[in-house]
Amino acid sequence: MLNKRNVLIVSVLLALAACKSEVKPVAEIRPVRTMVVGGALPAAAEVYSGEVRARHEVPMGFRIPGKLISRSVDVGANVKKGQVLAKLDAGDVALNASAASAGLASAQAQLSQASIDYKRSLELLAQNFVSQAEVDKRKTALISAQKQAEQAKAQVDLANNQASYAQLIADGDGVVTKTLAEPGSVLAAGQSVLMVAKAGAYEAVIDVPENRVQAWQAGQKVKLVLWSDDSSHLDGVVNEVSPSADPQTRTYRVKVTLPENSGAALGMTIQVKQVFASTEPVAEISVPMSAIYGKEKAMRVWIVDAKKTVHSREITILGYQGQQVRIKGVPAGSVVVTAGVHLLREGQAVKILAPQEGA
């Protein structure tokens, strides 16, 4: 009876064991520290303070010498095309115009007399009262009188132009930025009286030190911020880089075109920010010594893929610098394990702890 009971117990235990599902081992996930190597250099910026100016600022002066008797505009005045800005004493030019007119009248009278003499000589030649030489002489005198009349007419036109030059007239819209002569001054021809900023495009003018001028090129895009409005963020374009340094400051002048409707006014202070970033990978990749494992002639590192699993990659050591090792053989942007390398195996899943950006 006892033996049958034992057999029954064993049978029940075997049945229960057969009913249990088989337990699968759980894959181990190792925590590791990593760094990204060989990425692009971080973006940097250089900021320069400058001044808003008109792209075209023109010194204006008289074409003739004379005494300045009036100036109708001051600094800050808006001027329109055709507006009279200043006047010279026109007494002398008026006398020149009168003299030229008198000279023209005299030349025209001589031309009229020469024409009459030539016609009369032709009539007398037909009657054999004069020789052909006399006719030729009268013809030459007529031609000379014609040229003298043309010269006198040109003198009149020149004198009239000179008279009109006694007024300084704006050749376009703009703003007066500087006055350079006061009424009563005796001016030479071409001497500047006013500085007028032409209406239109404005630009930011900055001075760049010689060790940074190579980073500035015409056509380059930059960021602009008006000092009067910190919230303004404008896009500008470099339009001019001076080829020579200022003899006093040893800096190079750079001009940046402002966008239309920027809200900038002449003389405002503006910041010009040059943002640049290298798109080239770092030539040499440096990793901590703790990231390297393997034998002397077969050194390796672990690289983490997008699925958070590790793969071994052989590297070449270029040199040592403190606790850092310069290596090659790892693609730029790779995620390299820097701690826990001796506890990993190929294809193992990992948990990244505090990833860092490296060089």
Side-chain angles (χ1 to χ4, degrees), residues 2 6 9 16 25 35 39 42 74 89 109 167 186 204 221 233 239 267 273 277 283 287 302 314 327 335:
L2 183 59
N6 292 338
I9 293 173
L16 291 174
M35 66 182 295
D74 291 309
D89 182 356
Q167 291 185 333
V186 177
K221 295 182 179 180
H233 295 282
N239 67 71
K273 181 184 294 186
V287 297
W302 291 104
E314 187 172 348
I327 64 173
V335 180

Side-chain angles (χ1 to χ4, degrees), residues 309-324:
T309 58
V310 294
H311 303 280
S312 181
R313 179 179 289 270
E314 187 172 348
I315 59 169
T316 300
I317 295 179
L318 302 177
Y320 297 88
Q321 186 174 3
Q323 296 297 316
Q324 297 289 311

